[in-house]
Amino acid sequence: PLAALNFLPILTWLPSYPVKKYLFSDVVSGVSTGVVQLPQGLAYAMLAAVPPVYGLYSSFYPLLIYIFFGTSRHVSIGTFAVISLMIGGVVVREAPDSMFYIQPTNGTNATAFVDEEARDARRVSVAVMLTTLVGIIQIVLGLLRFGFVAIYLTEPLVRGFTTAASMHVFVSQLKYLLGVKTQRFSGPLSVIYSVKAVFSDITSTNITSLIVGLVCLIFLYVVKDINERFKKKLPIPIPGEIIVVIVSTGISYGMSLSTDYKVDVVGKIPTGLLPPAVPEFSLLPSLVTDSFAVAVVGFSIDISLAKIFALKYGYSVDGNQELIALGLCNFISSFFRTFAITCSMSRSLVQESTGGKTQIAGLVVSLVVLVVVVAIGFVFQPLPQTVLAAIIMVNLVGMFKQFRDIPTLWRTSKIELAIWLVAFVASVLLGLEYGLLVAVTFAILTVIYRTQSPKTAVLGHVSDTGLYCDVDEYEEAAEYEGIKIFCSNSSIYFANSDLYVNTLKEKVIQSAVFVCNTRRCPKKTEGGKQQAQLYSEDLCKVTHEVLPCNPVVEEQKNGELGDKASETDIFIEPLSTVHSIILDWTSANFIDSVGAKAIKQVLSFQWNQIQSKQSVVQLDTLQFFTGIITTDMVFPTVHDAVLHCQHRNSHQPNNLTGANTGNQEEVVEATC
């Protein structure tokens, strides 16, 4: 029973579905979302380079399947711009127009034309086979519990990538908006080639198409803005998309825009559903790499949006089950001539904002699409393609707003900004597939960079607390006299072990005993007496505050001296005899054998005792505890190590005066 519930999540909520409470809201939400789904299905089929009716098929079958297997109650499954564009790039590459040129038989000088029927049939076969592969990959990854792969698609990467995809989508729709005939490009620099092709042929712009498209563009933008501004007051969003589809279809039919004004229209939409058919597996070898990219991007978009709604409404989604659900949607639907799908951000927000509670709303959406496909699909045949281009462009407004991430990331995280920019630039210039690969590789390299160049600090104690903070960043943090606490925020392994050891020597070992080339500067205290503070000759900054290791020693500034020397004396003098050094490994998730050997070599060479707290089992496995280094040197916290050092030092009278009797230093490592 538990396995059945996990595999069919519908069994967890449908038996207890509150009909009176939820049904009306789900029906209203489903109708509202279905009204948006229809024009988007037609429009996104253009992005996928297949006839518009296949967008309606892709808006029907996957919805029915997701209701049974999906774990999110609010996402709207179906066509999505980014995925459709990725499919379109593959389809055009595998079935370009150049494969289907036909020379007229009535004269040798006549211009060759494209056999559109044969081309479209081939492109549909490529899209269907790609969708089958995407479904298989997603199902396999879900069964192997590979839902975690989405963590490598960090939010800045996804947002940069989808913004770049929006650029591709926008550029691809320019020719439909202007009504010009240009070749469709794919692969690296396809955006540049597409823009160049459109502007080189801009003199052949169809003025009627341009006017119709611009009017629809302005109307849709205004409606979208009104829906956004007054979303709390409107019971349901104004269905701007279906309004322009109905009105423009009527105008196109009444004015014969296709025949009299040469406006490109949707064309023939067959009535009814197609019988199932087996995909052409002969196309498989050339589509494997592309299918992985589509599968991962589709899943990452779905799971990110599903988690947002789950967090908002207090339920959970299972990443692995979502992979299986998307895989089944794509795999089963591909036998009915669909192309790959995922959830749509715009439709999901409509479904949620209009009161959708469960996937019953998705069922209503599929029924709305079914009615159109079976009964009234032919009505949309006169619909101008420029109207669909306007619908697509307006739906990109939300994605283009992601450019606002740049100033925010500049202020918060330069590395994440770099990830965003690399994902955007690489995806725009190299194409979505190669761009995604470059972006993921760069994101992984940033992780290596962060661990290879960790932040290190000397810690000090914050009085009246158990906190130890960086003395360079927190004024309240003060070092204990005779104790140095060294901290690194990264694991210690082969890539950064040398840097860790060198920084340890620089910040602690070499600087702990002497402060060279300094001068004393007078400073008035509250009592009006002159006190000397130690300044660096070059930087002129006060050195770190030092707390006494023993109550007998008076609290003082690190390097504060009496009035026994003149203001201009230059000297080399012991700052503080360091009897203990604590290595804080709290942030170290792991230490490998190279890191352990490097640290052990330094410690064994320099000192005769070590106190430590890293995972004893892990360190013992690495043979860290040999020779003078023993497991007795492990402490659970930095504070425990500090107390041990103070207690040990208090039983050595010579150390109370700051003398280093044995000319040796004790090293204490404290980590979690």
Side-chain angles (χ1 to χ4, degrees):
L2 183 60
L5 291 177
N6 290 334
F7 189 67
L8 288 170
I10 190 174
L11 298 177
T12 62
W13 58 268
L14 187 60
S16 59
Y17 181 79
V19 177
K20 293 183 179 180
K21 186 178 179 181
Y22 283 178
L23 184 60
F24 180 75
S25 296
D26 279 340
V27 171
V28 172
S29 174
V31 173
S32 302
T33 309
V35 167
V36 178
Q37 180 89 283
L38 287 172
Q40 286 191 358
L42 294 170
Y44 293 157
M46 293 170 55
L47 292 177
V50 295
V53 69
Y54 292 94
L56 296 180
Y57 298 155
S58 302
S59 302
F60 171 65
Y61 292 106
L63 274 169
L64 291 178
I65 298 169
Y66 186 83
I67 293 169
F68 293 92
F69 299 100
T71 59
S72 175
R73 303 173 191 172
H74 294 88
V75 297
S76 177
I77 295 296
T79 56
F80 183 56
V82 174
I83 298 298
S84 299
L85 185 68
M86 295 178 72
I87 295 170
V90 178
V91 165
V92 172
R93 185 194 70 206
E94 297 296 323
D97 289 342
S98 58
M99 288 179 60
F100 303 95
Y101 279 126
I102 297 178
Q103 292 289 345
T105 57
N106 57 354
T108 56
N109 294 328
T111 304
F113 63 94
V114 176
D115 185 352
E116 294 185 358
E117 185 175 348
R119 181 199 63 186
D120 290 345
R122 177 69 174 180
R123 289 182 173 180
V124 169
S125 297
V126 174
V128 168
M129 187 62 239
L130 179 66
T131 303
T132 305
L133 274 176
V134 169
I136 293 173
I137 290 170
Q138 289 174 333
I139 292 172
V140 171
L141 290 178
L143 293 175
L144 295 177
R145 320 303 289 175
F146 265 49
F148 69 88
V149 296
I151 65 176
Y152 291 101
L153 298 176
T154 178
E155 184 180 2
L157 187 153
V158 172
R159 293 175 72 86
F161 174 79
T162 53
T163 306
S166 302
M167 294 291 294
H168 282 274
V169 173
F170 184 85
V171 169
S172 70
Q173 297 308 295
L174 287 176
K175 67 177 184 178
Y176 298 108
L177 184 69
L178 299 174
V180 299
K181 305 285 187 182
T182 63
Q183 179 183 351
R184 179 163 178 169
F185 299 91
S186 62
L189 303 180
S190 60
V191 169
I192 297 175
Y193 295 142
S194 298
V195 172
K196 181 181 178 181
V198 168
F199 281 99
S200 63
D201 200 28
I202 199 169
T203 54
S204 61
T205 298
N206 186 305
I207 302 301
T208 305
S209 290
L210 180 60
I211 292 173
V212 172
L214 289 177
V215 170
C216 293
L217 199 66
I218 295 171
F219 175 78
L220 288 170
Y221 183 82
V222 172
V223 169
K224 183 177 282 289
D225 188 61
I226 292 174
N227 286 337
E228 184 66 26
R229 289 176 181 269
F230 303 100
K231 59 183 177 181
K232 294 183 179 179
K233 297 181 180 180
L234 294 172
I236 61 173
I238 301 173
E241 293 172 331
I242 199 65
I243 290 174
V244 298
V245 166
I246 294 174
V247 172
S248 59
T249 301
I251 293 174
S252 176
Y253 178 77
M255 298 181 64
S256 300
L257 294 182
S258 176
T259 56
D260 296 346
Y261 297 92
K262 306 302 179 183
V263 174
D264 292 327
V265 296
V266 167
K268 184 180 179 181
I269 298 180
T271 301
L273 299 172
L274 297 177
V278 178
E280 293 186 26
F281 283 92
S282 60
L283 299 170
L284 188 149
S286 59
L287 302 177
V288 173
T289 304
D290 303 292
S291 61
F292 268 100
V294 175
V296 173
V297 173
F299 168 66
S300 66
I301 293 171
D302 170 75
I303 195 63
S304 59
L305 198 60
K307 285 183 176 180
I308 291 174
F309 287 124
L311 185 63
K312 183 176 181 179
Y313 291 97
Y315 63 93
S316 61
V317 292
D318 184 346
N320 294 307
Q321 181 59 31
E322 282 294 297
L323 261 175
I324 294 173
L326 283 179
L328 290 172
C329 288
N330 284 315
F331 178 74
I332 297 175
S333 300
S334 67
F335 289 85
F336 297 91
R337 300 293 194 276
T338 65
F339 55 85
I341 52 84
T342 184
C343 73
S344 165
M345 288 183 276
S346 58
R347 292 196 307 273
S348 297
L349 291 174
V350 170
Q351 182 169 314
E352 184 255 351
S353 63
T354 52
K357 305 296 183 183
T358 66
Q359 283 299 331
I360 294 297
L363 177 62
V364 176
V365 173
S366 65
L367 294 178
V368 171
V369 175
L370 179 63
V371 170
V372 173
V373 172
V374 173
I376 60 174
F378 66 92
V379 173
F380 298 105
Q381 291 180 172
L383 176 64
Q385 291 185 0
T386 185
V387 175
L388 297 178
I391 292 173
I392 292 173
M393 288 179 171
V394 172
N395 277 299
L396 298 176
V397 171
M399 290 192 179
F400 284 135
K401 288 181 179 179
Q402 294 177 156
F403 279 112
R404 298 174 183 174
D405 294 347
I406 294 177
T408 302
L409 292 174
W410 174 262
R411 293 190 299 267
T412 57
S413 174
K414 301 294 192 299
I415 291 180
E416 288 187 316
L417 174 61
I419 294 174
W420 196 102
L421 292 175
V422 168
F424 175 78
V425 174
S427 299
V428 167
L429 296 180
L430 302 178
L432 298 182
E433 294 81 4
Y434 293 115
L436 180 63
L437 179 61
V438 170
V440 171
T441 303
F442 182 79
I444 294 174
L445 290 177
T446 62
V447 175
I448 298 174
Y449 169 77
R450 292 187 190 192
T451 58
Q452 191 172 0
S453 303
K455 179 183 177 182
T456 57
V458 175
L459 304 184
H461 181 244
V462 179
S463 60
D464 300 324
T465 72
L467 300 177
Y468 289 83
C469 302
D470 187 350
V471 293
D472 290 327
E473 295 184 358
Y474 297 89
E475 293 182 357
E476 297 294 325
E479 296 182 65
Y480 281 105
E481 184 179 9
I483 300 176
K484 283 284 183 179
I485 307 173
F486 181 73
C487 175
S488 173
N489 67 347
S490 173
S491 299
I492 305 170
Y493 66 116
F494 66 92
N496 65 5
S497 58
D498 288 342
L499 180 63
Y500 181 90
V501 170
N502 292 335
T503 309
L504 172 63
K505 292 178 180 178
E506 178 184 346
K507 283 195 171 185
V508 176
I509 300 173
Q510 294 176 359
S511 65
V513 182
F514 291 103
V515 174
C516 303
N517 197 24
T518 56
R519 61 186 175 88
R520 287 183 292 273
C521 301
K523 179 182 177 182
K524 288 188 178 181
T525 62
E526 294 182 359
K529 294 182 179 180
Q530 292 283 341
Q531 245 186 3
Q533 275 190 317
L534 193 62
Y535 282 74
S536 166
E537 182 76 351
D538 298 321
L539 301 179
C540 201
K541 291 183 179 179
V542 182
T543 58
H544 303 148
E545 184 179 0
V546 175
L547 296 180
C549 184
N550 191 285
V552 175
V553 182
E554 211 174 34
E555 185 174 332
Q556 61 184 2
K557 294 286 184 182
N558 187 4
E560 258 184 31
L561 304 174
D563 296 327
K564 61 184 178 181
S566 66
E567 179 181 342
T568 59
D569 286 347
I570 304 299
F571 66 95
I572 298 178
E573 183 173 314
L575 172 67
S576 167
T577 300
V578 175
H579 57 76
S580 301
I581 296 177
I582 301 174
L583 302 185
D584 178 11
W585 288 348
T586 307
S587 302
N589 293 322
F590 69 91
I591 298 177
D592 72 355
S593 60
V594 177
K597 288 178 181 177
I599 296 171
K600 183 179 177 182
Q601 183 178 10
V602 174
L603 301 184
S604 300
F605 178 76
Q606 294 282 348
W607 303 284
N608 59 357
Q609 291 192 38
I610 302 171
Q611 306 287 342
S612 166
K613 171 34 180 119
Q614 169 66 8
S615 171
V616 177
V617 176
Q618 179 185 0
L619 291 174
D620 189 48
T621 303
L622 297 174
Q623 297 182 348
F624 188 75
F625 300 110
T626 58
I628 64 171
I629 306 175
T630 66
T631 54
D632 294 335
M633 302 169 180
V634 174
F635 291 93
T637 67
V638 173
H639 195 59
D640 288 324
V642 169
L643 294 177
H644 173 81
C645 296
Q646 290 179 333
H647 175 74
R648 184 181 184 87
N649 193 53
S650 65
H651 289 80
Q652 299 177 6
N654 287 335
N655 280 345
L656 291 176
T657 62
N660 190 354
T661 55
N663 201 25
Q664 294 282 346
E665 294 163 351
E666 174 189 354
V667 179
V668 181
E669 303 179 6
T671 65
C672 292

